[in-house]
Amino acid sequence: MADEERVPVLVVGGGLVGLATTLFLAEQGVRTLLVDRHPGASIQGRARGINQRTMEIYRALGLETAIREAGKPFEDDWGVARCETLAGEWHWLFDDDAPRIWPALSPGEFCQADQNAVEPILISAAREKGAEHRFNTELVSIVTDDNGATAVIRDRATGAEETVLADYVVAADGHRSPIREQLGIHRTGPGVVQHSVSIVFRADLSEFVPRPALFWIIVNEKVGGGLVTTAEPNRWGMSVGYDPAAGQSPADFTVERCVADVRNAIGRDDLEVEIEDVAAWEQAIGLADQYRSGRVFLAGDAAHVWPPAGAMGANTGVQDGYNLAWKIAGVVKGWAGEGLLDTYHTERHTLAVELSDLVVNRQMQRNSAEIEDDTTDDQLWTLGQRYWSSAVLGAKHDSVFGDTLSKTAEPGLRAPHLWVERDGEQISTHDLFGRGFVLFTGTDGTGWSEAAAAVSERLSCPVKAFRIGSAEAGADLVDVDKVWEQHYPLGAGGAALIRPDGYVAWLSQTGDQPAAALSGALERVLQTR
């Protein structure tokens, strides 16, 4: 008889999204088991671009320094070039060295760090907080009911099986997602649109690369179409397509074939090339119709998949996990109602519908041809994503993006970033998020601070209040740039309730009966009444 284990949350899939979600749950104090069928982290470089929103999330968890260190080999890479061979003439599709940090908008700085370098950082951080991560372990079967899920997992090395009883399951098992298929959740979209092989190789390309780029689009008769990108000094990645309908398969990519493809892409027949790894992958477009089925939630590619343009794939998946983790934590710990979990689909699916259009129809065009009138607004796409659901009180919008990026606190919007000083150290207000609710008020909001402590104890819900203003007025957080009232126009005695994922849940323009007002707002957001 198989061994049996009970956990609050089982995460299936050990890519960036599964790992990040496990970390976010662990940060909330939820014991989580992650199973990953792979024997270890892949050496393939993928999902390199980490945008400012994702970096501010990692920063709040204390991971910014480690991730930026992992991205050092690529910190000078920028722009996208098209050419017949790397040795030939380059045509820059875009070559703007756009600012990677927006200090007035976010504490996060755009970073390029390969997935294979970031994954170990996430694994280590999650394990330190009590999460369990098992490599080389596959999901054999899963049965769900109203009380949870019964999963059978297998150690691929020994064949030993174990039964896991989980209250909730997060399916981060890729775009083909066996869990999604078993649940019968339909995916809208064309599905697989391109089959590719990624080749990791070593070669000295210094004479062909006078300056680095994000990647090079190679188009010639010998290769067809492909991409080349850096991995580390003298280590590179190349992606080449193949067509199963023409009888082609990954098996065709022998070492000899890969060496020839690399040489044809570079433009030198005598180039010394060492092939390190070859892996097949699929480019797909699709969006699951539902992100939740009872006790199971889809995240990352299992929920949505589109071409790797604009760094919107993995970033969106990680942010899925950030949205979901605090909601599961609330229900598991008893301070939120089951209905709160429905807002995960409401908020993230609506966003994915819009992002799918942006990535497929706009960002892909930006990367494939020179556009004279490029209306791409990276700040709006990255920081301007908006929610409206029962977990937001008083939202005045019904679209994912506005015309411009709002810098003012509004329900359903990401909380505006402020630089503040606490105990002599300069931090961002976003450094305070990720663990529980945060209540911001002015220096005259002492009543709110007392209310937060009382309500937190009564509802068993983590709420911490901070008074923002000047040091002379006794603020908990000193407003470094003196923009608190500009970005949080709450009036005398008002307060802003920020969700654990950094989104504004509720605003009060008055300090009347703060305990009753805060308690009522939280109970509505958390679906406990």
Side-chain angles (χ1 to χ4, degrees), residues 293-313:
S293 177
R295 295 300 184 108
V296 181
F297 302 87
L298 307 182
D301 285 355
H304 50 76
V305 63
W306 43 68
M312 297 304 288

Side-chain angles (χ1 to χ4, degrees), residues 16-30 32 54 57-58 61 63 122 126 129 317-326 329 434-435:
L16 272 180
V17 176
L19 293 172
T21 304
T22 299
L23 173 58
F24 301 148
L25 287 163
E27 184 71 23
Q28 298 278 344
V30 177
T32 304
T54 302
I57 293 171
Y58 288 151
L61 298 174
L63 303 181
L122 301 181
K129 297 180 184 300
V318 169
Q319 292 163 34
D320 287 342
Y322 201 52
N323 180 288
L324 177 61
W326 74 270
R435 298 163 186 84

Side-chain angles (χ1 to χ4, degrees), residues 64-351:
E64 180 185 41
T65 299
I67 291 175
R68 288 191 56 74
E69 184 68 24
K72 275 192 173 180
F74 319 108
E75 60 187 1
D76 294 327
D77 296 2
W78 201 250
V80 173
R82 184 202 298 250
C83 49
E84 289 189 9
T85 66
L86 211 59
E89 182 180 357
W90 300 358
H91 171 62
W92 289 95
L93 300 181
F94 65 92
D95 187 24
D96 56 329
D97 190 6
R100 303 189 185 193
I101 187 168
W102 308 322
L105 300 176
S106 170
E109 180 175 353
F110 184 91
C111 177
Q112 296 187 93
D114 271 343
Q115 180 173 339
N116 58 6
V118 174
E119 286 181 355
I121 296 171
L122 301 181
I123 292 169
S124 177
R127 283 175 171 168
E128 286 180 4
K129 297 180 184 300
E132 183 178 0
H133 178 188
R134 298 189 198 175
F135 278 121
N136 216 22
T137 303
E138 63 184 346
L139 179 71
V140 177
S141 65
I142 185 168
V143 177
T144 63
D145 57 30
D146 292 341
N147 298 315
T150 301
V152 176
I153 60 175
R154 177 189 296 133
D155 185 315
R156 300 183 71 189
T158 66
E161 294 188 352
E162 179 181 347
T163 298
V164 177
L165 307 178
D167 295 326
Y168 296 98
V169 176
V170 177
D173 52 343
H175 88 88
R176 288 191 175 275
S177 183
I179 295 178
R180 185 191 65 234
E181 294 297 318
Q182 178 180 327
L183 294 171
I185 297 176
H186 179 260
R187 187 171 71 175
T188 299
V192 176
V193 295
Q194 182 175 321
H195 298 266
S196 299
V197 163
S198 289
I199 305 166
V200 177
F201 66 96
R202 288 190 177 274
D204 181 1
L205 304 184
S206 55
E207 67 176 291
F208 312 112
V209 183
R211 54 156 289 191
L214 291 175
F215 57 87
W216 293 264
I217 300 173
I218 310 291
V219 181
N220 64 51
E221 292 183 357
K222 294 181 178 179
V223 175
L227 300 176
V228 171
T229 186
T230 57
E232 58 187 48
N234 292 332
R235 191 162 177 260
W236 307 82
M238 178 176 173
S239 181
V240 183
Y242 67 92
D243 184 5
Q248 301 171 356
S249 77
D252 298 333
F253 290 82
T254 61
V255 171
E256 293 76 17
R257 160 74 182 273
C258 290
V259 168
D261 281 346
V262 169
R263 288 172 172 169
N264 288 330
I266 306 307
R268 276 283 295 272
D269 292 339
D270 59 348
L271 181 72
E272 291 189 14
V273 178
E274 177 187 350
I275 304 299
E276 284 198 346
D277 191 51
V278 181
W281 63 285
E282 298 169 339
Q283 189 173 119
I285 301 172
L287 179 62
D289 292 350
Q290 290 292 325
Y291 280 15
R292 180 188 185 189
S293 177
R295 295 300 184 108
V296 181
F297 302 87
L298 307 182
D301 285 355
H304 50 76
V305 63
W306 43 68
M312 297 304 288
N315 284 290
T316 300
V318 169
Q319 292 163 34
D320 287 342
Y322 201 52
N323 180 288
L324 177 61
W326 74 270
K327 296 173 181 178
I328 291 180
V331 176
V332 167
K333 290 177 170 290
W335 46 260
E338 181 78 18
L340 176 65
L341 299 175
D342 289 332
T343 66
Y344 170 64
H345 169 82
T346 303
E347 294 178 350
R348 299 303 295 177
H349 183 271
T350 305
L351 168 66

